[in-house]
Amino acid sequence: MKPFFIGNMEIQLPIIQGGMGVGISLSGLASAVANAGGLGVISCAGLGLLYPKVKGAYTEKCIAGLKEEIRKAREKTKGVIGVNIMVALSNYADMVRTAIKEKIDIIFAGAGLPLDLPSYLNPDSETKLAPIVSSSRAAKVICDKWNNNYGYLPDAIVVEGPKAGGHLGFKKEQLTDDHYALEVLIPEVVSVASGYKTQKQIPVIAAGGISTGKDISRFIELGASAVQMGSIFVTTEECDASRAFKEVYINSKPEDLQIIDSPVGMPGRAINGEFIRKIKEGITKPLNCPFHCIKTCDPAKSPYCIIKALYNAAKGNMSKGYAFAGSNAFLSQKISSVKEVFESLKKEFALATQKS
């Protein structure tokens, strides 16, 4: 595997760890990935729940939590660290401003089009910006909007296909349509990115359902500069989730991976379990929303609070939550170190490259 660049920032290995909330990818996992030569990512989703002792409202707890997670990551690594910020978060602007003020290396922004993201940069900001898209059309819209409005182009573009875990930027019927497969999307977005090469080199990063070194090799051959991987890092010692959460992955079977309707108005991929069955049976009840964390969530119509469900799961209370996961999460067999995962991926990549 070769290093790649995002702007002037060199990442030793073409592997980005996906941001996973709530509380799955924090400073522990992100710093371990960065130390292994990849790009580690802290998820901003639900950070206020993880820092309940901080004074103030939920939004203030989120800001304090992000500052603390970035600080802890910096103490553990000199590698490249990013944050994942959902555009759909009600406190999206707060999280972006905080990340830039804390001099995070890169912001990944998805779950909506981050059309105004460059507006948060200051003249002396060094933070890189990378939108997460699910189509070449979205990539083109963002590039043109940023270029026309701010004289700025993305430092990288993440293309998340229909096999990803968590919230998906597709309609349900598109998830099994070959026209929307990641193998189709990558060359299309690479073509869009290459259209701006006289102004800026924009690396394209493949994401969603990537789980082996062979997968990495295949997508680099299709034009991607790197890949984003999430599920493979859940079952690591350094992952910030509870042991019980990790064991849900290890014990899962292919048929356990299901598409659910999320309260935020998007389909999501999760591992089936007790809580999801309760939702389907109508046993869960709407609650008053204390957080108002997602712009598109209507508490009056939601059968449960998604941020609380994901928090419960991360803490191991699977009867009151569920695990988001990529389509290949069932491949997890044991808990390993991040270093061991990287070594395995490098061996698989080398073998795939030799065969091709």
Side-chain angles (χ1 to χ4, degrees):
M1 292 188 197
K2 296 179 181 179
F4 80 107
F5 283 84
I6 297 178
N8 60 352
M9 190 168 62
E10 183 178 12
I11 296 96
Q12 290 300 312
L13 294 170
I15 298 172
I16 295 167
Q17 163 249 311
M20 296 173 285
V22 172
I24 309 302
S25 64
L26 301 172
S27 55
L29 178 57
S31 60
V33 169
N35 282 331
L39 197 165
V41 178
I42 296 164
S43 170
C44 288
L47 281 175
L49 285 174
L50 304 173
Y51 286 86
K53 294 182 181 179
V54 173
K55 292 182 180 179
Y58 172 75
T59 51
E60 294 171 288
K61 296 177 193 291
C62 287
I63 291 171
L66 180 55
K67 288 181 179 179
E68 181 67 7
E69 289 302 324
I70 293 173
R71 182 192 67 78
K72 289 194 288 189
R74 292 294 188 208
E75 287 179 351
K76 296 174 185 176
T77 184
K78 293 182 179 179
V80 182
I81 295 290
V83 296
N84 179 287
I85 308 175
M86 295 169 60
V87 179
L89 290 177
S90 299
N91 61 346
Y92 164 75
D94 282 344
M95 294 290 92
V96 172
R97 291 192 189 99
T98 302
I100 292 171
K101 187 176 180 180
E102 295 298 313
K103 302 184 187 302
I104 197 69
D105 293 319
I106 183 166
I107 292 172
F108 296 96
L113 297 183
L115 297 178
D116 67 343
L117 189 55
S119 71
Y120 296 93
L121 292 174
N122 304 309
D124 60 344
S125 298
E126 295 183 5
T127 296
K128 304 294 188 290
L129 306 178
I132 302 172
V133 303
S134 55
S135 70
S136 58
R137 180 179 175 275
K140 185 76 166 67
V141 166
I142 290 170
C143 286
D144 287 344
K145 285 281 187 181
W146 286 16
N147 201 22
N148 294 335
N149 294 346
Y150 309 105
Y152 195 99
L153 285 167
D155 295 291
I157 298 174
V158 178
V159 186
E160 197 165 87
K163 293 184 178 181
H167 292 119
L168 305 168
F170 300 89
K171 296 177 181 177
K172 275 190 176 182
E173 60 270 19
Q174 294 173 335
L175 298 177
T176 53
D177 187 334
D178 290 342
H179 293 94
Y180 298 92
L182 187 58
E183 288 81 358
V184 174
L185 299 178
I186 289 298
E188 292 177 351
V189 177
V190 168
S191 178
V192 169
S194 65
Y196 303 91
K197 63 183 177 183
T198 57
Q199 297 169 263
K200 193 174 195 175
Q201 292 290 333
I202 307 175
V204 174
I205 298 155
I210 299 171
S211 53
T212 67
K214 184 177 180 181
D215 292 338
I216 299 173
S217 175
R218 184 171 78 257
F219 284 107
I220 287 178
E221 285 180 7
L222 288 171
S225 297
V227 300
Q228 177 181 287
M229 308 175 81
S231 294
I232 197 170
F233 292 115
V234 169
T235 53
T236 58
E237 295 162 1
E238 297 91 341
C239 176
D240 299 276
S242 66
R243 175 91 185 197
F245 185 93
K246 298 173 187 180
E247 288 177 350
V248 169
Y249 272 62
I250 293 170
N251 297 327
S252 67
K253 302 177 182 64
E255 59 269 24
D256 293 329
L257 275 297
Q258 297 191 0
I259 301 301
I260 64 171
D261 293 315
S262 167
V264 309
M266 304 169 75
R269 180 172 281 107
I271 298 175
N272 193 23
E274 180 183 345
F275 189 75
I276 290 177
R277 288 192 289 272
K278 287 179 181 178
I279 297 168
K280 291 178 179 177
E281 294 168 7
I283 296 174
T284 56
K285 297 179 181 179
L287 301 170
N288 291 325
C289 177
F291 309 117
H292 304 288
C293 58
I294 304 289
K295 298 172 187 174
T296 54
C297 184
D298 183 353
K301 297 178 181 178
S302 299
Y304 63 97
C305 171
I306 187 167
I307 214 86
K308 197 64 185 290
L310 296 176
Y311 169 81
N312 289 336
K315 292 298 182 182
N317 187 357
M318 302 310 299
S319 66
K320 293 186 178 180
Y322 55 80
F324 273 149
S327 62
N328 291 324
F330 65 89
L331 295 175
S332 304
Q333 295 181 340
K334 62 178 182 178
I335 295 178
S336 308
S337 68
V338 166
K339 184 179 179 180
E340 287 172 331
V341 169
F342 268 81
E343 289 303 317
S344 178
L345 290 172
K346 285 190 282 188
K347 288 177 182 177
E348 291 167 356
F349 180 87
L351 186 61
T353 306
Q354 289 170 5
K355 287 183 178 179
S356 61

